[in-house]
Amino acid sequence: MQQKQQVRNLIFDFTGVYEQTPVNEQFLILNCTHIHGSRLYCSKQAKDKIKKMIHKYGIHGIHFLDSGDYHYITKFMTDEIRFPFSLVMFDHHTDMQEPLVEGMTSCGSWAAEVMEQNPYLQQLILIGQSIKTLRHCTWIHNPKVIAISYEELTKRKKAAQKFHKLRTNIPLYLSIDKDVLRRQDAVTNWNQGEMSFSMLEDLLLFLIHQCDIVGVDICGEYQQGSNLTEYLHAQKINYHLNNELYEFLKCQFQKRKRINPKKKFIDIP
């Protein structure tokens, strides 16, 4: 008999930003402040330590990854998947650039590495980038890539045509960078998009109830800088968003379990 997959909700805390954690008792906090060579670019030593953590606890759950500087952890998460899957990425950026440091995974190049290296990846669905950003993406014409710009999301018919291409017969891994959201709903240390939280909820609602979900990660925290007032303001907004997003995801997974008891999905504690 196949062993049931363990579900652990994880917080990868690299910068100490999670002083106020989302629904604290539901999460295992991994202290990553000692992992050097991990910000923006990931050294081999840092990669080995992070991947060891992921392998120990698994990818099945809701995971917070600190700021967008560590979004490359999604690549390490999906390295654990050993069956056909699709990656859905909510992000203001494509994260498919050529790395400035050859051979090192970075927050700006990790998605291209997933495309190049993961034989199980069937589709990469980019959601929320601007048309201008997507025009500069060299991967945009790859048959595995489905790009749904923010402008297309505001036009239901156009967005529906793109979502129709989504393969619903294979599971999804969801990755959310909060920089896809407008600054009223989240404050990150990167330039941000215009998506509202309510639009993000609607899109997640569709995906969760149409497809099997094997894991979710969320990044986009605001790192403390020289301006304490700005940091505290960002913390207040992001703390509220993290709680709202976690509760929404948890509720939808539980609801889906009741509606489709035979379907595979995350059983969030």
Side-chain angles (χ1 to χ4, degrees):
M1 182 180 294
Q2 186 176 6
Q3 187 177 5
K4 184 179 179 181
Q5 294 168 329
Q6 184 182 20
V7 175
R8 295 298 296 267
N9 298 323
L10 306 174
I11 290 177
F12 292 79
D13 192 357
F14 287 88
T15 64
V17 74
Y18 293 110
E19 294 175 3
Q20 289 182 303
T21 60
V23 200
N24 181 45
E25 69 277 7
Q26 306 288 0
F27 285 80
L28 175 64
I29 303 175
L30 302 176
N31 184 353
C32 302
T33 56
H34 63 286
I35 302 179
H36 302 293
S38 59
R39 184 170 178 261
L40 298 174
Y41 285 86
C42 188
S43 68
K44 184 182 183 306
Q45 293 79 8
K47 177 180 178 180
D48 291 342
K49 291 178 182 178
I50 295 168
K51 294 198 73 167
K52 186 176 181 180
M53 287 181 177
I54 294 170
H55 187 72
K56 178 179 180 180
Y57 297 109
I59 68 170
H60 304 285
I62 298 173
H63 314 305
F64 286 83
L65 309 182
D66 211 296
S67 81
D69 296 354
Y70 305 93
H71 200 178
Y72 62 78
I73 292 177
T74 302
K75 197 269 180 187
F76 304 156
M77 288 282 190
T78 54
D79 284 346
E80 294 286 311
I81 301 175
R82 296 291 187 269
F83 47 79
F85 76 101
S86 293
L87 170 61
V88 176
M89 194 174 97
F90 293 89
D91 201 314
H92 185 53
H93 312 88
T94 64
D95 292 352
M96 302 182 82
Q97 303 172 8
E98 290 292 327
L100 295 177
V101 182
E102 188 176 353
M104 289 186 69
T105 299
S106 78
C107 63
S109 66
W110 67 266
E113 290 186 30
V114 176
M115 286 285 296
E116 292 173 337
Q117 300 173 12
N118 196 315
Y120 298 100
L121 181 72
Q122 304 300 302
Q123 291 182 319
L124 173 60
I125 299 94
L126 303 172
I127 302 179
Q129 299 81 14
S130 69
I131 290 177
K132 182 179 179 180
T133 296
L134 292 172
R135 284 186 186 135
H136 291 88
C137 178
T138 57
W139 288 89
I140 197 65
H141 300 296
N142 188 291
K144 286 187 177 182
V145 176
I146 300 173
I148 309 172
S149 69
Y150 174 75
E151 290 85 349
E152 289 172 320
L153 289 171
T154 62
K155 301 173 183 177
R156 289 181 175 271
K157 186 175 180 180
K158 189 68 175 176
Q161 291 174 347
K162 291 289 186 75
F163 276 109
H164 186 69
K165 299 178 181 179
L166 177 67
R167 290 182 57 183
T168 58
N169 63 328
I170 56 176
L172 304 180
Y173 184 91
L174 303 178
S175 183
I176 304 166
D177 189 329
K178 292 186 292 188
D179 70 17
V180 77
L181 296 170
R182 59 187 185 177
R183 289 186 71 85
Q184 297 100 303
D185 293 322
V187 182
T188 77
N189 62 322
W190 293 86
N191 60 320
Q192 294 182 218
E194 301 177 62
M195 185 182 294
S196 67
F197 180 56
S198 62
M199 178 184 281
L200 176 61
E201 285 183 315
D202 288 343
L203 295 169
L204 289 170
L205 185 68
F206 169 79
L207 293 168
I208 290 169
H209 289 278
Q210 291 294 319
C211 305
D212 297 336
I213 309 296
V214 296
V216 183
D217 65 46
I218 301 158
C219 70
E221 305 306 332
Y222 187 87
Q223 294 186 2
Q224 187 169 0
S226 57
N227 191 321
L228 181 59
T229 301
E230 187 175 302
Y231 173 72
L232 294 174
H233 170 71
Q235 278 286 76
K236 181 179 179 180
I237 292 176
N238 290 337
Y239 177 69
H240 175 74
L241 174 65
N242 288 345
N243 277 278
E244 288 288 307
L245 185 52
Y246 170 77
E247 290 297 333
F248 172 80
L249 290 168
K250 179 180 177 180
C251 176
Q252 294 309 317
F253 289 134
Q254 291 173 341
K255 185 180 296 184
R256 183 185 151 153
K257 182 178 180 180
R258 292 193 298 269
I259 296 172
N260 300 305
K262 294 183 180 180
K263 281 282 201 175
K264 295 179 180 178
F265 53 93
I266 301 174
D267 187 10
I268 297 300

